[in-house]
Amino acid sequence: MFIIVFVLVFSSFAPYFYSLLRETRINRLEQFLIKQQKNPNLYLCYLMANNRTTEAEALLEKLLAKHKNPTRKALYTAMYAVHQKNTAAIRNVLTDLPAGQFRSYYEAVVCVWEGNLEEASRLTATLSKPWMRDIVLSEIELSKGNRHEAIAYARQAWLACRGLQRYVSYKTYERDLPEALTGS
């Protein structure tokens, strides 16, 4: 009986987690995210990736009002601020993010956008996730005017991503650096 229940539960959740964490096909990821309208945590990513700013702002406000945890609020705010390229908003929430990968990533992005490339490079060296490192390196190269190197890093970042992050990076590069996606 336990095995049957386990198999039933696993088979109902496995496709959800596969799409969220491992899927690489953009069309499948998009279908998955469209179906997540009742899950604001995921649907926010779909709205931002598709540049639906008004809807994304309204949903962000709902999420910020719903959650009391300052770390979670800071993460939502930082995600949206990166989408809007709002360095001041990211700086305001950096102290609420726990020390680690995401904080270093957001700090490095802010440093790049503010022109502090040496500090961004130092922070990039601390990132262990290849996609994070390559995204920041791509931004650094773009700010230096090295478009070809930026494209190479962006392509590496996109290929290293899986699941939700792959969709978001695909849509971002589709809009900002389409050459990184050619031949894919």
Side-chain angles (χ1 to χ4, degrees):
M1 181 67 161
F2 175 74
I3 293 172
I4 293 171
V5 170
F6 177 76
V7 168
L8 288 174
V9 169
F10 181 75
S11 65
S12 65
F13 285 113
Y16 176 85
F17 285 110
Y18 180 80
S19 293
L20 189 62
L21 302 172
R22 302 294 303 159
E23 183 64 72
T24 58
R25 294 169 290 186
I26 299 303
N27 61 339
R28 292 268 177 110
L29 286 163
E30 187 159 59
Q31 290 170 359
F32 169 75
L33 287 172
I34 289 170
K35 291 178 185 175
Q36 299 303 313
Q37 287 185 18
K38 294 188 180 186
N39 184 344
N41 300 312
L42 295 178
Y43 197 59
L44 178 63
C45 294
Y46 172 78
L47 294 174
M48 288 188 305
N50 287 285
N51 228 14
R52 292 168 61 178
T53 306
T54 307
E55 294 169 86
E57 272 182 27
L59 189 56
L60 177 65
E61 291 302 320
K62 285 181 185 177
L63 284 169
L64 293 176
K66 176 183 173 185
H67 293 289
K68 304 299 178 215
N69 184 337
T71 301
R72 194 155 191 174
K73 284 181 167 187
L75 191 55
Y76 287 133
T77 303
M79 281 175 23
Y80 189 72
V82 165
H83 170 68
Q84 294 294 314
K85 297 195 178 211
N86 183 344
T87 56
I90 299 170
R91 281 242 182 254
N92 288 339
V93 297
L94 276 176
T95 56
D96 291 331
L97 291 172
Q101 293 293 304
F102 286 105
R103 185 176 187 171
S104 295
Y105 171 74
Y106 287 121
E107 280 182 288
V109 168
V110 167
C111 287
V112 171
W113 290 345
E114 291 177 343
N116 189 352
L117 302 183
E118 289 177 20
E119 179 66 12
S121 294
R122 186 190 66 73
L123 288 165
T124 302
T126 67
L127 298 172
S128 64
K129 293 184 186 284
W131 64 265
M132 284 182 173
R133 193 171 43 250
D134 290 336
I135 286 172
V136 176
L137 289 171
S138 176
E139 289 287 328
I140 289 171
E141 293 302 326
L142 266 180
S143 68
K144 289 179 178 177
N146 300 330
R147 189 163 178 88
H148 291 295
E149 289 84 1
I151 290 167
Y153 280 122
R155 181 149 180 81
Q156 284 178 310
W158 182 71
L159 291 172
C161 295
R162 299 284 180 262
L164 183 60
Q165 187 59 44
R166 186 170 181 106
Y167 180 78
V168 171
S169 64
Y170 177 86
K171 294 303 257 184
T172 301
Y173 291 138
E174 183 179 59
R175 183 178 56 248
D176 300 338
L177 207 59
E179 302 94 326
L181 303 174
T182 57
S184 55

